[in-house]
Amino acid sequence: MFWADELIKKIIKERKLDGYLVTDEKTPSGRVHVGALEGVLYHSTIARSLEKSGKKTVFQYGFDDYDPMDSLPIYIPKEYEKYMGIPLSEIPAPDGKGSFANYFADEFIEVINSLGIEPKIVYTSKMYKQGEFNQSIKIALNKANIVREIYKNIANQDRPYDWFPIQMICEKCHKIGTTRAYAWDGEKVSYECGENWVKYTQGCGHKGELSPLNGNSKLPWKVEWAAKWSIWKSDVEGAGKDHMTKNGSHDIASEIARQVYGIKTPEKFRYEFFLVGGKKMSSSKGLGNSAREVSEVLPAELLKYLIVRSNPKIQLNFNLDGKTISQLYNDFDRAHTQYITDPKSDEAKIYEYSKISQEVPEYLMRFSKIVSYIQISYLDIEKEAEKEKGSKLTEVDKKDLANRIKYARIYLEKFASEDEKFEIQKEIPKVKLNDSQKKLLEKIADLVARESEPEIIHNYIYETGKVLGLKPKETFETIYQIFLNKTSGPKAGWFLANLDKNFVFKRIKEASK
Ligand SMILES: [Zn+2]
């Protein structure tokens, strides 16, 4: 069973609602790496699956932009050190336009929109400033003793009696990461901006007394997590496995949700890390490929397919290399075929959830073929596609083909192996062939010049070489040498089948002499 269907079955059985709110969020602390798409895609797939089963569903994506900057990504200038500890929404953007948080949130929104996902977007900074957290802040402060107990009971963390679950924004230095609240009188919070309380920055030492409402403060993140669930009335929200360990942050937030806010934790699910090249990525440190980088080399549908097909319970490891990319195209094409021939199958469903537009092409050209074709300059790829399809291409087929050609060019430049790259030699290269190789050419010339079925050509060359006592490597080297001046290249039968017949015949004849 497709993982999303399995999950929503459980959710519906558990909640029995007519409508659902699926929420997910992220701190926009830097360029968003491709792994962060996991959360978005898992949540949006669940939302779509709920919707398809007749439940009205909203997918909401939140940016935790009132979080302080607590590390500096490597691509951010050193002068940003001075902003450490300040909320991300209050720090200027690297390009000087808008805020640091918006700069990276916008980049991320652009990527997720390109995947055909358009969640309702919310920002915690706005929620705090507009007073949406006011009630939750008061409750947390009034029940500070319960919050302390929860930390103690679940995580065995001691919070002193004068610790309060609130982070005030220092009126003097505007930092939020450095303050500690020590009293609450029902209206105002007394706090101190500590000089050495956090490792990443220094506070100013200011002591103040201030209302925590309307953006003057922020809840610590585990309390904030629970508060958000209660404000939004989230029904479903999963998290990465780092938050889902026993007695970890999700357990703490769930207890706060129950005991402090009196609500039930949204239906949860846990997802494994998405590794690239075996490495975990971090947006705050700037490690790993950004979502935008990957979306520039991989069509959106494939990037989406890569994640949608992976069960959240299983670790996803993706290598951004030629072999993996080619394989991904082949798998995607198979899912497309299934969608057409067996629409009820799991693979068909995965295809359906991965596609971005409503339109479905009737025909997809194999990616490896396109990579070869774009290197044969005179070839009309659309014509070849029609030949292969056996009928005229639809407008959707054409659009898809054009898109694949675009990405094949990028692939050829960035990922193709030496074997996949070639240049047809206009003049016969100066190569030395032995007698058996010359004989091979003599024998295959006629067939190759009239046959258009790649497999027949390929097998014929192979068999002829065998009869002549040539090793397969020697046999095919002969072809590569006389056409490409290389000892390796694309699969010979397919390659020759797509070259001009006269040219092929003349070249083989000439070389066999
Ligand atoms: Zn301060």
Side-chain angles (χ1 to χ4, degrees), residues 32 374 425:
V32 185
I374 56 174
Q425 305 295 304

PDB file of all heavy atoms in Angstrom, residues 32 374 425:
ATOM      1  N   VAL A  32      17.720  27.083   2.005  1.00  0.00           N
ATOM      2  CA  VAL A  32      17.058  25.856   2.400  1.00  0.00           C
ATOM      3  C   VAL A  32      17.597  24.684   1.591  1.00  0.00           C
ATOM      4  O   VAL A  32      17.574  24.696   0.371  1.00  0.00           O
ATOM      5  CB  VAL A  32      15.540  25.981   2.219  1.00  0.00           C
ATOM      6  CG1 VAL A  32      14.852  24.742   2.742  1.00  0.00           C
ATOM      7  CG2 VAL A  32      15.048  27.203   2.974  1.00  0.00           C
ATOM      8  N   ILE A 374      21.042  14.672 -28.387  1.00  0.00           N
ATOM      9  CA  ILE A 374      21.415  16.094 -28.441  1.00  0.00           C
ATOM     10  C   ILE A 374      22.855  16.288 -28.897  1.00  0.00           C
ATOM     11  O   ILE A 374      23.259  17.376 -29.247  1.00  0.00           O
ATOM     12  CB  ILE A 374      21.167  16.836 -27.104  1.00  0.00           C
ATOM     13  CG1 ILE A 374      21.902  16.146 -25.958  1.00  0.00           C
ATOM     14  CG2 ILE A 374      19.683  16.965 -26.796  1.00  0.00           C
ATOM     15  CD1 ILE A 374      21.820  16.907 -24.643  1.00  0.00           C
ATOM     16  N   GLN A 425      32.981  12.325 -35.671  1.00  0.00           N
ATOM     17  CA  GLN A 425      34.097  12.862 -36.450  1.00  0.00           C
ATOM     18  C   GLN A 425      33.685  13.030 -37.915  1.00  0.00           C
ATOM     19  O   GLN A 425      33.247  12.080 -38.551  1.00  0.00           O
ATOM     20  CB  GLN A 425      35.304  11.916 -36.358  1.00  0.00           C
ATOM     21  CG  GLN A 425      35.737  11.620 -34.935  1.00  0.00           C
ATOM     22  CD  GLN A 425      36.254  12.847 -34.204  1.00  0.00           C
ATOM     23  OE1 GLN A 425      37.184  13.514 -34.668  1.00  0.00           O
ATOM     24  NE2 GLN A 425      35.643  13.156 -33.068  1.00  0.00           N
TER      25      GLN A 425
END
